[in-house]
Amino acid sequence: QVQLVESGGGLVQAGGSLRLSCAASGRTFSSYAMAWFRQAPGKEREFVAGISWSGGTTYYADSVKGRFTISRDNAKNTVYLQMNSLKPEDTAVYYCATKSGAYIATMPRAYVYWGQGTQVTVSS
């Protein structure tokens, strides 16, 4: 059974930064792509950023490109999301997810395992 546990969310002012972490257990972490999604109240879950099994390929939603950075440490079975220059519209519950296969996908249905989510709130 795969378990994903997110941490690092919180309340921050616009322009501030947060770093989310997602610790994985239960499978060979280094063999699979990982991604971060977010879901704001009343909205669909949307792709934020993804990273390939090796970390050599990353992909970002246009809305976060240049502000967010995804990375992974396979020795620690952890994926990170560094979020800078945060905006009120970044407010959402952030989820990490993993999928079968080594490469990134942007659709939520491609991901099999999900964490419980961590709340990020950006005040104006």
Side-chain angles (χ1 to χ4, degrees):
Q1 184 71 15
V2 176
Q3 290 189 327
L4 302 174
V5 179
E6 301 100 334
S7 60
L11 173 64
V12 63
Q13 288 188 332
S17 298
L18 284 174
R19 188 194 196 202
L20 305 184
S21 299
C22 174
S25 62
R27 74 190 300 190
T28 306
F29 176 79
S30 59
S31 299
Y32 300 95
M34 300 290 295
W36 288 94
F37 289 78
R38 67 187 181 187
Q39 189 166 18
K43 295 188 177 180
E44 294 186 350
R45 191 166 298 189
E46 64 173 357
F47 175 83
V48 175
I51 189 165
S52 63
W53 68 276
S54 68
T57 301
T58 57
Y59 187 75
Y60 298 91
D62 288 343
S63 58
V64 306
K65 202 172 295 182
R67 300 188 297 122
F68 290 11
T69 302
I70 189 171
S71 61
R72 66 190 296 163
D73 184 338
N74 286 343
K76 295 183 179 180
N77 286 358
T78 301
V79 64
Y80 304 97
L81 185 67
Q82 178 67 45
M83 306 186 294
N84 298 328
S85 302
L86 282 160
K87 304 175 181 180
E89 51 263 44
D90 294 318
T91 295
V93 177
Y94 283 70
Y95 299 90
C96 71
T98 185
K99 59 183 287 291
S100 297
Y103 301 100
I104 303 163
T106 61
M107 298 298 294
R109 63 174 178 264
Y111 290 81
V112 178
Y113 299 103
W114 294 82
Q116 82 288 350
T118 185
Q119 177 71 46
V120 171
T121 303
V122 184
S123 63
S124 57

mmCIF file of all heavy atoms in Angstrom, residues 37-47 63 88-93 95 108:
data_model
loop_
_atom_site.group_PDB
_atom_site.id
_atom_site.type_symbol
_atom_site.label_atom_id
_atom_site.label_comp_id
_atom_site.label_asym_id
_atom_site.label_seq_id
_atom_site.Cartn_x
_atom_site.Cartn_y
_atom_site.Cartn_z
ATOM 1 N N PHE A 37 -0.972 18.675 -7.311
ATOM 2 C CA PHE A 37 -2.231 19.238 -7.781
ATOM 3 C C PHE A 37 -2.767 20.168 -6.703
ATOM 4 O O PHE A 37 -2.307 20.127 -5.557
ATOM 5 C CB PHE A 37 -3.257 18.128 -8.053
ATOM 6 C CG PHE A 37 -2.951 17.286 -9.254
ATOM 7 C CD1 PHE A 37 -1.993 16.285 -9.209
ATOM 8 C CD2 PHE A 37 -3.622 17.493 -10.450
ATOM 9 C CE1 PHE A 37 -1.704 15.505 -10.326
ATOM 10 C CE2 PHE A 37 -3.354 16.723 -11.569
ATOM 11 C CZ PHE A 37 -2.392 15.726 -11.495
ATOM 12 N N ARG A 38 -3.756 20.967 -7.058
ATOM 13 C CA ARG A 38 -4.417 21.795 -6.058
ATOM 14 C C ARG A 38 -5.907 21.896 -6.373
ATOM 15 O O ARG A 38 -6.316 21.726 -7.526
ATOM 16 C CB ARG A 38 -3.791 23.180 -5.978
ATOM 17 C CG ARG A 38 -3.981 24.037 -7.217
ATOM 18 C CD ARG A 38 -3.174 25.331 -7.080
ATOM 19 N NE ARG A 38 -3.342 26.210 -8.239
ATOM 20 C CZ ARG A 38 -2.640 27.323 -8.424
ATOM 21 N NH1 ARG A 38 -1.719 27.705 -7.526
ATOM 22 N NH2 ARG A 38 -2.852 28.073 -9.495
ATOM 23 N N GLN A 39 -6.666 22.164 -5.339
ATOM 24 C CA GLN A 39 -8.101 22.299 -5.504
ATOM 25 C C GLN A 39 -8.610 23.409 -4.598
ATOM 26 O O GLN A 39 -8.479 23.323 -3.375
ATOM 27 C CB GLN A 39 -8.822 20.984 -5.202
ATOM 28 C CG GLN A 39 -10.293 21.003 -5.557
ATOM 29 C CD GLN A 39 -10.905 19.619 -5.576
ATOM 30 O OE1 GLN A 39 -10.353 18.665 -5.012
ATOM 31 N NE2 GLN A 39 -12.035 19.472 -6.235
ATOM 32 N N ALA A 40 -9.161 24.429 -5.218
ATOM 33 C CA ALA A 40 -9.767 25.533 -4.486
ATOM 34 C C ALA A 40 -11.255 25.244 -4.307
ATOM 35 O O ALA A 40 -11.843 24.469 -5.071
ATOM 36 C CB ALA A 40 -9.568 26.837 -5.256
ATOM 37 N N PRO A 41 -11.895 25.867 -3.320
ATOM 38 C CA PRO A 41 -13.324 25.619 -3.088
ATOM 39 C C PRO A 41 -14.158 25.905 -4.332
ATOM 40 O O PRO A 41 -14.010 26.952 -4.964
ATOM 41 C CB PRO A 41 -13.663 26.590 -1.955
ATOM 42 C CG PRO A 41 -12.380 26.794 -1.236
ATOM 43 C CD PRO A 41 -11.321 26.755 -2.299
ATOM 44 N N GLY A 42 -15.013 24.959 -4.687
ATOM 45 C CA GLY A 42 -15.882 25.135 -5.828
ATOM 46 C C GLY A 42 -15.238 24.945 -7.170
ATOM 47 O O GLY A 42 -15.885 25.148 -8.211
ATOM 48 N N LYS A 43 -13.975 24.559 -7.180
ATOM 49 C CA LYS A 43 -13.254 24.365 -8.448
ATOM 50 C C LYS A 43 -12.771 22.938 -8.573
ATOM 51 O O LYS A 43 -12.664 22.210 -7.597
ATOM 52 C CB LYS A 43 -12.081 25.344 -8.539
ATOM 53 C CG LYS A 43 -12.491 26.808 -8.603
ATOM 54 C CD LYS A 43 -11.301 27.690 -8.877
ATOM 55 C CE LYS A 43 -11.721 29.144 -9.025
ATOM 56 N NZ LYS A 43 -10.551 30.028 -9.308
ATOM 57 N N GLU A 44 -12.447 22.569 -9.803
ATOM 58 C CA GLU A 44 -11.919 21.240 -10.058
ATOM 59 C C GLU A 44 -10.456 21.156 -9.630
ATOM 60 O O GLU A 44 -9.750 22.164 -9.577
ATOM 61 C CB GLU A 44 -12.050 20.889 -11.541
ATOM 62 C CG GLU A 44 -13.485 20.743 -12.012
ATOM 63 C CD GLU A 44 -13.575 20.253 -13.444
ATOM 64 O OE1 GLU A 44 -12.534 20.214 -14.123
ATOM 65 O OE2 GLU A 44 -14.694 19.932 -13.876
ATOM 66 N N ARG A 45 -10.022 19.938 -9.359
ATOM 67 C CA ARG A 45 -8.615 19.729 -9.044
ATOM 68 C C ARG A 45 -7.786 20.008 -10.297
ATOM 69 O O ARG A 45 -8.111 19.530 -11.383
ATOM 70 C CB ARG A 45 -8.408 18.304 -8.555
ATOM 71 C CG ARG A 45 -7.050 18.057 -7.960
ATOM 72 C CD ARG A 45 -7.023 16.733 -7.196
ATOM 73 N NE ARG A 45 -7.961 16.722 -6.081
ATOM 74 C CZ ARG A 45 -8.007 15.761 -5.159
ATOM 75 N NH1 ARG A 45 -7.164 14.743 -5.227
ATOM 76 N NH2 ARG A 45 -8.880 15.817 -4.181
ATOM 77 N N GLU A 46 -6.708 20.774 -10.136
ATOM 78 C CA GLU A 46 -5.891 21.132 -11.280
ATOM 79 C C GLU A 46 -4.419 20.785 -11.055
ATOM 80 O O GLU A 46 -3.913 20.824 -9.932
ATOM 81 C CB GLU A 46 -6.018 22.642 -11.589
ATOM 82 C CG GLU A 46 -5.499 23.555 -10.519
ATOM 83 C CD GLU A 46 -5.500 25.016 -10.933
ATOM 84 O OE1 GLU A 46 -5.852 25.343 -12.085
ATOM 85 O OE2 GLU A 46 -5.130 25.860 -10.097
ATOM 86 N N PHE A 47 -3.779 20.481 -12.168
ATOM 87 C CA PHE A 47 -2.356 20.167 -12.159
ATOM 88 C C PHE A 47 -1.549 21.419 -11.849
ATOM 89 O O PHE A 47 -1.829 22.491 -12.383
ATOM 90 C CB PHE A 47 -1.967 19.616 -13.536
ATOM 91 C CG PHE A 47 -0.509 19.360 -13.728
ATOM 92 C CD1 PHE A 47 0.076 18.181 -13.294
ATOM 93 C CD2 PHE A 47 0.294 20.296 -14.363
ATOM 94 C CE1 PHE A 47 1.422 17.942 -13.485
ATOM 95 C CE2 PHE A 47 1.637 20.070 -14.560
ATOM 96 C CZ PHE A 47 2.201 18.882 -14.122
ATOM 97 N N SER A 63 0.143 28.915 -14.870
ATOM 98 C CA SER A 63 -0.183 29.846 -13.784
ATOM 99 C C SER A 63 0.898 29.904 -12.707
ATOM 100 O O SER A 63 0.940 30.866 -11.928
ATOM 101 C CB SER A 63 -1.524 29.465 -13.141
ATOM 102 O OG SER A 63 -1.466 28.133 -12.649
ATOM 103 N N PRO A 88 -2.931 35.507 -3.893
ATOM 104 C CA PRO A 88 -4.184 35.020 -3.280
ATOM 105 C C PRO A 88 -4.843 33.911 -4.104
ATOM 106 O O PRO A 88 -5.446 32.997 -3.524
ATOM 107 C CB PRO A 88 -5.049 36.286 -3.232
ATOM 108 C CG PRO A 88 -4.067 37.399 -3.098
ATOM 109 C CD PRO A 88 -2.891 36.977 -3.939
ATOM 110 N N GLU A 89 -4.697 33.951 -5.414
ATOM 111 C CA GLU A 89 -5.301 32.911 -6.251
ATOM 112 C C GLU A 89 -4.599 31.567 -6.150
ATOM 113 O O GLU A 89 -5.067 30.579 -6.716
ATOM 114 C CB GLU A 89 -5.381 33.364 -7.720
ATOM 115 C CG GLU A 89 -4.077 33.877 -8.281
ATOM 116 C CD GLU A 89 -3.979 35.400 -8.226
ATOM 117 O OE1 GLU A 89 -4.341 35.992 -7.183
ATOM 118 O OE2 GLU A 89 -3.513 35.980 -9.235
ATOM 119 N N ASP A 90 -3.483 31.502 -5.436
ATOM 120 C CA ASP A 90 -2.826 30.224 -5.168
ATOM 121 C C ASP A 90 -3.461 29.502 -3.978
ATOM 122 O O ASP A 90 -3.106 28.353 -3.689
ATOM 123 C CB ASP A 90 -1.335 30.428 -4.878
ATOM 124 C CG ASP A 90 -0.572 30.937 -6.087
ATOM 125 O OD1 ASP A 90 -0.821 30.448 -7.205
ATOM 126 O OD2 ASP A 90 0.288 31.830 -5.904
ATOM 127 N N THR A 91 -4.383 30.157 -3.298
ATOM 128 C CA THR A 91 -5.040 29.543 -2.153
ATOM 129 C C THR A 91 -5.812 28.299 -2.578
ATOM 130 O O THR A 91 -6.641 28.340 -3.491
ATOM 131 C CB THR A 91 -6.003 30.547 -1.497
ATOM 132 O OG1 THR A 91 -5.248 31.639 -0.965
ATOM 133 C CG2 THR A 91 -6.807 29.894 -0.386
ATOM 134 N N ALA A 92 -5.518 27.174 -1.920
ATOM 135 C CA ALA A 92 -6.130 25.894 -2.276
ATOM 136 C C ALA A 92 -5.610 24.823 -1.318
ATOM 137 O O ALA A 92 -4.669 25.060 -0.551
ATOM 138 C CB ALA A 92 -5.782 25.498 -3.710
ATOM 139 N N VAL A 93 -6.213 23.651 -1.407
ATOM 140 C CA VAL A 93 -5.622 22.459 -0.797
ATOM 141 C C VAL A 93 -4.690 21.846 -1.835
ATOM 142 O O VAL A 93 -5.096 21.620 -2.979
ATOM 143 C CB VAL A 93 -6.697 21.450 -0.364
ATOM 144 C CG1 VAL A 93 -6.030 20.198 0.205
ATOM 145 C CG2 VAL A 93 -7.644 22.072 0.657
ATOM 146 N N TYR A 95 -2.272 18.774 -3.109
ATOM 147 C CA TYR A 95 -2.143 17.332 -2.994
ATOM 148 C C TYR A 95 -0.922 16.854 -3.778
ATOM 149 O O TYR A 95 -0.680 17.334 -4.893
ATOM 150 C CB TYR A 95 -3.360 16.631 -3.595
ATOM 151 C CG TYR A 95 -4.676 16.957 -2.937
ATOM 152 C CD1 TYR A 95 -5.448 18.028 -3.378
ATOM 153 C CD2 TYR A 95 -5.150 16.179 -1.882
ATOM 154 C CE1 TYR A 95 -6.666 18.324 -2.784
ATOM 155 C CE2 TYR A 95 -6.369 16.468 -1.288
ATOM 156 C CZ TYR A 95 -7.119 17.545 -1.747
ATOM 157 O OH TYR A 95 -8.328 17.832 -1.153
ATOM 158 N N PRO A 108 -5.636 14.398 -13.549
ATOM 159 C CA PRO A 108 -5.740 13.713 -12.251
ATOM 160 C C PRO A 108 -6.045 12.224 -12.378
ATOM 161 O O PRO A 108 -5.556 11.429 -11.569
ATOM 162 C CB PRO A 108 -6.895 14.454 -11.560
ATOM 163 C CG PRO A 108 -6.893 15.822 -12.169
ATOM 164 C CD PRO A 108 -6.491 15.610 -13.590
#
